[in-house]
């Protein structure tokens, strides 16, 4: 399969996967003072085709799509795309802890939809702008001093968002992490020592 085509430099490109016209317009209004150019996919299949054809700086994903769920979309992209763009899930669906953990395995942020002038919209704007900004930076290698010499590195946190952010930071530093497991409202992520040694 051919590599996705790069869009013109200098103007961030964001893919919005949203079947609702009003929600799509609200998102565009939220970013009207930026130079971000939006491409819209009306369903998951269109979104998959867009990701395969074009390099985007970020994706805004609704979970309730007409042809597949956002969960399925994320998992298909992860399986087919070596370096997918950052994904911000923006959905009205109520999520339990297990669903949040499943989403955070592939998404950079999960936000519940709110009013355009509400806290959710402000967070959506912040997360997308941060994701776009991160795409322009060079990857940072883990310093030698940070290498761990124990049997495992254990992250313990009862907040799904914190656990996900720490796991993503470690992966960004080329330290692969195992899938997090939740038990008794406590999330853990174990990294085998062999993956941390030179």
């Amino acid at each position: 399969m051919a590599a996705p085509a790069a869009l013109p430099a200098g103007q961030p490109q964001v893919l919005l996967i949203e079947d609702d016209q009003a929600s799509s317009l609200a998102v565009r209004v939220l970013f009207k003072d930026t130079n971000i150019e939006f491409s819209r996919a009306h369903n998951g299949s269109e979104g998959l085709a867009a990701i395969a054809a074009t390099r985007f700086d970020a994706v805004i994903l609704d979970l309730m799509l007409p042809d597949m769920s956002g969960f399925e979309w994320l998992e298909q992209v992860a399986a087919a795309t070596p370096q997918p763009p950052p994904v911000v899930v923006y959905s009205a669906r109520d999520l339990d802890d297990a669903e949040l953990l499943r989403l955070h395995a592939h998404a950079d942020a999960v936000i519940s939809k709110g009013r355009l002038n509400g806290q959710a919209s402000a967070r959506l704007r912040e997360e997308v702008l941060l994701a776009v900004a991160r795409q322009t930076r060079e990857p940072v290698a883990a310093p030698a001093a940070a290498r761990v010499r124990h049997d495992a590195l254990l992250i313990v946190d009862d907040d799904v968002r914190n656990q996900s952010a720490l796991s993503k930071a470690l992966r960004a530093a080329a330290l692969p992490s195992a899938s997090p497991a939740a038990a008794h409202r406590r999330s853990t992520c174990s990294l085998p020592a062999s993956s941390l040694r030179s």
Side-chain angles (χ1 to χ4, degrees), residues 9-116:
Q11 186 171 17
Q13 306 289 329
V14 172
L15 175 61
L16 172 61
I17 308 175
E18 171 64 72
D19 63 313
D20 182 73
Q21 180 65 30
S23 295
S24 177
L25 178 60
V27 170
R28 290 174 184 269
V29 169
L30 189 63
F31 292 89
K32 66 181 181 180
D33 62 335
T34 72
N35 66 337
I36 291 176
E37 181 173 331
F38 283 92
S39 298
R40 181 184 173 195
H42 297 78
N43 55 50
S45 298
E46 288 183 10
L48 291 172
I51 286 289
T54 306
R55 288 195 186 99
F56 290 96
D57 296 296
V59 175
I60 301 173
L61 173 67
D62 184 25
L63 291 180
M64 297 181 288
L65 300 171
D67 58 341
M68 69 179 72
S69 73
F71 296 94
E72 294 171 309
W73 190 89
L74 284 166
E75 288 161 0
Q76 288 191 40
V77 168
T81 310
Q83 293 182 317
V87 178
V88 178
V89 172
Y90 189 51
S91 179
R93 174 172 169 166
D94 291 328
L95 300 165
D96 59 29
D97 285 349
E99 289 174 321
L100 283 170
L101 283 171
R102 184 180 173 191
L103 286 174
H104 279 301
H106 305 296
D108 289 63
V110 180
I111 305 168
S112 296
K113 285 183 180 177
R115 296 178 181 177
L116 185 61

Side-chain angles (χ1 to χ4, degrees), residues 124-188:
L124 173 65
R125 179 183 167 94
E126 178 184 6
E127 292 288 354
V128 171
L129 292 177
L130 284 172
V132 168
R134 283 198 301 268
Q135 292 296 90
T136 65
R137 299 176 186 171
E138 292 295 325
V140 178
R147 291 174 186 154
V148 179
R149 298 188 175 222
H150 298 82
D151 289 339
L153 174 62
L154 179 67
I155 300 171
V156 180
D157 198 303
D158 62 355
D159 189 314
V160 171
R161 293 170 298 179
N162 290 345
Q163 188 275 330
S164 174
L166 287 167
S167 296
K168 287 183 183 300
L170 291 170
R171 288 198 297 270
L175 299 175
S177 63
S179 299
H184 301 292
R185 301 185 61 185
R186 183 159 298 219
S187 301
T188 64

